[in-house]
Amino acid sequence: MRGFLVSSTVSAAALTLPFLATSSGAAPAGASSGATSVTGAPNTVPGSTQSVPLVRLGGSDRARTNGPAEQGVPQREVKPFSLIGIVWDDAGAELRGRAQVRTRAVGSRAWSGWQDVQTHDDDRPDLDSREARNGRLRGSTAPLWVGASDAIQLRVRPDAATERTPEGRALPTGMRLELVDPGAAAPAQSSRRVPVVPPGTDEERASSAANAPLAPLGATEIPAAGRNAARSDIAATGTGRNKMPSDEPEGDTENDDSSDWNDSDEGGDPRGNVDPDDGYDQDGPSDSDENTAPDGRYTASRPRIVTRAGWGADESLRERAFAYTKTVKAAFVHHTASGNNYSCSESASVIRGIYRYHVVSSGWRDIGYNFLVDKCGTVYEGRAGGVAKPVMGAHTLGFNTNSMGIAVLGTFASSTPPKAAVNALSSLTAWKLGLFGVNPRGTATLVSGGGNLFKKGTSVKLKAISGHRDGYATECPGDRLYSKLGTARTAAARLQGR
């Protein structure tokens, strides 16, 4: 598994803030450090991450002498940012308390009201996966989109009624506020019917080539396709005779570094795109009692999907290797808990911010979700490796194997998800589950990798379209979005012709 190095530089703002570190990006071992831009795209602006250690807040200590000390970041000006989150050293430690932030918009003198930051980020790699064992994972809150801002104030109030953590502290150690500037994406160029961003690096080329033959190299979108045309997408899944490497835990797969690799879809040398430490799936997708075989009878139309090139992924941040599981038996639906204060024109920026937060701040190999959907119903490619393939995500702790994660941008505990987003969710699940012979109204049996609902090794029967809370004790995807999953199942099955 290839690692990445976080390169740090000090901004002009940091000259007045000695504890403020700015990370301009992360690169795989052997690659140049810093964020990169697409060759020939002068309008591309690399993103950046400012990391600010939390300090004890003296005023709150005096006010709460009978409780644990409050930590935070006093009011201060910083470089512009748009998304925030809190990370800490131990990925297994919990932040038991309440985190609130307020910001000042760029060009304004007015401060926002205090906003809550979701302190539990349950979308993460499985505990026994190679991603979790890479030594880089950090504990983290959910990210929060605040829009372009240049001043910040944060307070984290411990829960005095909660027992102290095992390390003997009310709050996890090493807490840092992460301020993410998502940067700007490269402009697309017209090429026949599909706009493209010419790949400028090997990582960009590999990420795009993983979507062949659905779209040309550098395509910013994978066009919609009718049901008959989408049947050919089964060949792009890389399963069955076109076998894919697997990232399932050791003991469940067979390691094989022979020459029998799938290089029909990847382009170039497939060994540069596949995690060499991952097991090799010799059997392809396994049929279950709940699902039909992927013979194309129930494939659905393919929705339009904005690719990583389309939303401006900085491919130098992620690990170079791709990771796969054997098949896709179920879809877990999430909300990003990043708030609803974004416009659809900002969706790509929100995704770039989440991507950078997952990789640079939280230490993941790539963005955790396989797909993302915005409030206008646009579908976006998430984790690299090919939209039709069984890419191993980091979305539902304990159930990332043989599943996919779809996140709707926003927070839906008390806000109703837009109809366009629910419709897109239905279309996406109908297409992707159909490629693997899965009935959206059926069930799937998955083996838990360990979590707070099911012990490791437990076989669990779940709905083919489940909410995150079905596999892990969490409020995600929010009550309002969770209540729409029945509608999505029915619509997806109908789109498959069932």
Side-chain angles (χ1 to χ4, degrees):
M1 180 178 290
R2 296 295 295 272
F4 65 83
L5 303 173
V6 178
S7 62
S8 297
T9 58
V10 179
S11 66
L15 295 177
T16 60
L17 306 173
F19 55 82
L20 182 64
T22 302
S23 171
S24 61
S32 59
S33 62
T36 59
S37 60
V38 176
T39 301
N43 294 331
T44 299
V45 178
S48 63
T49 301
Q50 304 171 71
S51 187
V52 186
L54 272 61
V55 298
R56 291 170 64 95
L57 299 179
S60 61
D61 286 353
R62 291 191 296 270
R64 304 178 69 237
T65 56
N66 294 326
E70 188 172 292
Q71 295 185 31
V73 174
Q75 177 178 315
R76 63 184 67 252
E77 295 184 353
V78 293
K79 284 179 55 181
F81 65 95
S82 297
L83 180 141
I84 70 100
I86 305 169
V87 301
W88 51 90
D89 296 338
D90 184 358
E94 294 184 17
L95 196 170
R96 298 185 178 102
R98 186 181 187 184
Q100 293 181 302
V101 67
R102 67 173 187 152
T103 57
R104 188 187 67 192
V106 171
S108 171
R109 294 185 177 181
W111 284 79
S112 71
W114 287 98
Q115 299 184 73
D116 283 312
V117 181
Q118 181 177 297
T119 56
H120 298 286
D121 189 6
D122 303 319
D123 310 334
R124 48 179 163 161
D126 286 340
L127 299 176
D128 59 355
S129 68
R130 291 174 178 82
E131 186 169 1
R133 299 195 308 270
N134 64 14
R136 297 188 298 268
L137 293 191
R138 304 177 186 93
S140 60
T141 68
L144 177 68
W145 179 262
V146 295
S149 306
D150 59 9
I152 186 80
Q153 185 176 3
L154 173 76
R155 61 192 184 196
V156 180
R157 182 169 298 169
D159 184 356
T162 303
E163 293 183 1
R164 291 174 177 266
T165 57
E167 61 267 27
R169 298 177 179 86
L171 292 173
T173 59
M175 288 198 299
R176 302 183 297 283
L177 173 64
E178 300 287 284
L179 307 173
V180 180
D181 172 13
Q189 303 175 14
S190 178
S191 176
R192 297 180 182 177
R193 292 178 299 173
V194 180
V196 300
V197 174
T201 66
D202 290 342
E203 291 82 6
E204 291 164 358
R205 189 173 296 104
S207 178
S208 182
N211 284 318
L214 277 59
L217 193 67
T220 59
E221 64 180 62
I222 296 171
R227 188 175 175 188
N228 290 333
R231 284 193 175 95
S232 63
D233 293 349
I234 293 176
T237 61
T239 56
R241 295 183 63 185
N242 294 322
K243 294 172 285 191
M244 295 299 302
S246 170
D247 192 43
E248 294 191 51
E250 284 99 336
D252 295 339
T253 60
E254 181 177 345
N255 289 327
D256 183 353
D257 196 25
S258 68
S259 60
D260 186 16
W261 291 76
N262 173 30
D263 60 353
S264 59
D265 300 331
E266 304 281 351
D269 180 3
R271 293 182 185 272
N273 302 327
V274 177
D275 191 330
D277 292 329
D278 290 328
Y280 183 62
D281 173 17
Q282 295 290 332
D283 302 319
S286 58
D287 296 337
S288 69
D289 294 336
E290 299 92 342
N291 304 320
T292 62
D295 58 5
R297 287 182 296 165
Y298 295 109
T299 51
S301 298
R302 182 210 307 149
R304 172 181 172 267
I305 303 171
V306 176
T307 65
R308 291 170 65 91
W311 55 261
D314 181 351
E315 300 293 357
S316 73
L317 298 182
R318 65 168 176 85
E319 290 188 4
R320 292 187 63 181
F322 301 151
Y324 300 95
T325 61
K326 288 185 176 181
T327 186
V328 176
K329 292 183 177 182
F332 286 98
V333 178
H334 305 254
H335 66 175
T336 57
S338 52
N340 303 319
N341 297 322
Y342 72 94
S343 65
C344 290
S345 63
E346 293 178 305
S347 296
S349 295
V350 175
I351 296 171
R352 289 197 303 276
I354 294 173
Y355 170 47
R356 175 172 278 273
Y357 181 70
H358 281 178
V359 178
V360 176
S361 301
S362 302
W364 301 1
R365 71 187 301 163
D366 195 348
I367 191 170
Y369 310 112
N370 298 103
F371 297 94
L372 301 99
V373 176
D374 70 12
K375 63 174 67 175
C376 290
T378 302
V379 177
Y380 299 84
E381 176 185 15
R383 182 162 286 206
V387 295
K389 295 180 173 65
V391 176
M392 178 78 161
H395 48 82
T396 305
L397 180 63
F399 292 101
N400 289 310
T401 296
N402 296 336
S403 70
M404 66 174 177
I406 305 170
V408 181
L409 295 180
T411 305
F412 301 106
S414 57
S415 299
T416 301
K419 184 177 180 180
V422 178
N423 289 343
L425 185 65
S426 303
S427 298
L428 176 59
T429 52
W431 171 71
K432 185 65 181 278
L433 293 178
L435 298 182
F436 293 86
V438 178
N439 182 349
R441 287 187 296 189
T443 59
T445 299
L446 299 176
V447 178
S448 173
N452 60 7
L453 273 183
F454 304 100
K455 293 181 179 179
K456 181 179 178 180
T458 304
S459 292
V460 183
K461 181 170 285 190
L462 297 160
K463 294 184 183 297
I465 299 178
S466 289
H468 184 186
R469 64 178 62 177
D470 295 321
Y472 192 90
T474 174
E475 295 181 359
C476 182
D479 289 344
R480 297 292 182 90
L481 178 55
Y482 188 76
S483 69
K484 296 294 184 181
L485 297 189
T487 300
R489 295 182 192 107
T490 300
R494 184 175 65 251
L495 290 171
Q496 285 188 355
R498 296 181 186 268

